[in-house]
Amino acid sequence: MESTQYIAALSALAHDGRLEIYRLLVQAGPAGLTVGEIGDALAMPGATLSFHLSQLKHAGLVAARRDGRRLIQTANFERMNALVAYLTENCCGGQACAPVCEPACAPAASVPRRAQKRARA
Amino acid sequence: MESTQYIAALSALAHDGRLEIYRLLVQAGPAGLTVGEIGDALAMPGATLSFHLSQLKHAGLVAARRDGRRLIQTANFERMNALVAYLTENCCGGQACAPVCEPACAPAASVPRRAQKRARA
DNA sequence: TCCATATTTCTAGAATAATGGAAATAAAGA
DNA sequence: TCTTTATTTCCATTATTCTAGAAATATGGA
C-alpha cells in the first residue's frame, strides 16, 4: 500500500459525516448497511451521502455489494489495520516501547508479548 | 475526547507533509526531534513546517518542550491510541470479531483473548 | 413495457486549506 | 546591550473540498 493510499484513507475519515458513516459500518460488521439505512440513521441527503460513500470507497475503507436494488455497504477492516500499522511503523525506533505506545503499536512491534507485559508494569 | 478532536487528529494526519512529520516523530520516540532537524530531514521551508507542526499540535498529536533555543517536538502516543480505539469502537456490534478486524480493534474488544484465538481458527 | 424505488452523477457557488517569502519574536552568548 | 540562531506569525495567492437540488441511471416487479 502506497503512502498516497494512507493519505486517502486519512482524508476520507477526516470529515464529520464520513467518520460517522464509517463508525456506523464498523459497528455493523460484515453484515453491513444499505445506503438508505445510513441516510436515515444520519439524516443526510442522498447526494451528499453518495458523495461521501464514494470518497470512502475510493480510499478503500468501504466496499459495497448489491442486494436486489439496494447496495450494502461494509467497512474494510484490513485497510483499517494497515493504516494503524503504518502510523506506528518502527515506533520508538523499534525498541521495546510498550509503556509508551501500547496498545496501538503493539501489533506492529517485534517484541515478544511477555517482554511487553513486563515493560508495561 | 470529543468527536471534533478525532476529526482534528485525522485532518492533521491527512496531509503528505504532516504524515511524514508525524511518522518521523513516532520513530524518534520520547526523545523527539527539533524543528530544524525535521526541516532538514524533509527539506521543508521553515514557514511551511511551522504551519504543519501547529496543526499537529492543535490536534494534540504532537507536543513540544523547549531546550535552550530549540523546541523539541514529540509524538503524543496517548492521542494515537485514543484515535484507534475510537475508530474501532463497538466493532462488529461488540461480538467476537477477531478474524474480521484483528489486530486494530483487539485492544478495544471486551472479548477474552482465548475466545479471540478460538474464533480466529 | 411501464412504474416505483434505490442510488449515483452533474453542477456551481461557498467554504476551507496549503504555500512560502518576508518580517517579527524568543533565547542564549559575547 | 548587540548579535546570532531558532522558530513563528503575517499575508496574499492558489487550489481543493463540501453541499445539496435536479437530472440521470439501475434494478426488480406488475
Side-chain angles (χ1 to χ4, degrees):
Chain A
M1 192 162 158
E2 281 257 344
S3 156
T4 56
Q5 297 269 268
Y6 296 107
I7 298 292
L10 289 163
S11 300
L13 294 172
H15 179 278
D16 212 2
R18 286 195 298 264
L19 185 56
E20 286 195 82
I21 295 169
Y22 182 74
R23 278 169 34 93
L24 216 49
L25 293 176
V26 165
Q27 286 166 34
L33 293 171
T34 67
V35 177
E37 286 169 332
I38 300 168
D40 290 349
L42 302 180
M44 192 178 279
T48 304
L49 175 55
S50 184
F51 169 76
H52 291 311
L53 276 172
S54 83
Q55 304 273 106
L56 288 165
K57 281 171 201 161
H58 183 73
L61 288 166
V62 165
R65 61 178 192 271
R66 190 169 272 281
D67 170 40
R69 45 183 122 172
R70 359 228 169 123
L71 285 167
I72 298 179
Q73 316 291 136
T74 50
N76 178 349
F77 294 91
E78 284 179 34
R79 189 54 66 103
M80 177 80 257
N81 292 333
L83 179 59
V84 172
Y86 184 73
L87 288 173
T88 55
E89 193 177 276
N90 198 24
C91 168
C92 301
Q95 318 266 194
C97 58
V100 172
C101 57
E102 274 267 358
C105 76
S110 57
V111 176
R113 187 159 292 278
R114 192 163 313 171
Q116 285 178 24
K117 263 194 189 149
R118 211 183 299 134
R120 199 183 313 154
Chain B
M1 194 161 154
E2 282 256 342
S3 155
T4 55
Q5 297 269 268
Y6 297 107
I7 299 293
L10 289 162
S11 300
L13 294 172
H15 179 278
D16 212 1
R18 286 193 298 263
L19 186 55
E20 286 195 82
I21 295 169
Y22 181 75
R23 279 169 32 93
L24 216 49
L25 293 177
V26 165
Q27 285 166 35
L33 293 172
T34 67
V35 177
E37 285 170 332
I38 300 168
D40 290 349
L42 303 179
M44 190 178 281
T48 303
L49 175 54
S50 184
F51 169 76
H52 291 313
L53 277 172
S54 82
Q55 304 274 105
L56 288 165
K57 281 172 201 163
H58 186 255
L61 288 166
V62 165
R65 62 177 192 271
R66 190 169 273 282
D67 171 41
R69 46 184 122 174
R70 354 221 170 133
L71 285 168
I72 298 179
Q73 316 291 135
T74 51
N76 178 350
F77 294 90
E78 284 178 33
R79 190 52 69 103
M80 178 78 258
N81 292 333
L83 179 59
V84 172
Y86 184 74
L87 288 173
T88 56
E89 192 178 274
N90 198 24
C91 168
C92 301
Q95 319 266 193
C97 59
V100 172
C101 56
E102 275 266 1
C105 76
S110 58
V111 176
R113 187 156 293 278
R114 194 163 313 173
Q116 286 181 21
K117 261 193 189 150
R118 211 182 298 131
R120 198 182 313 153

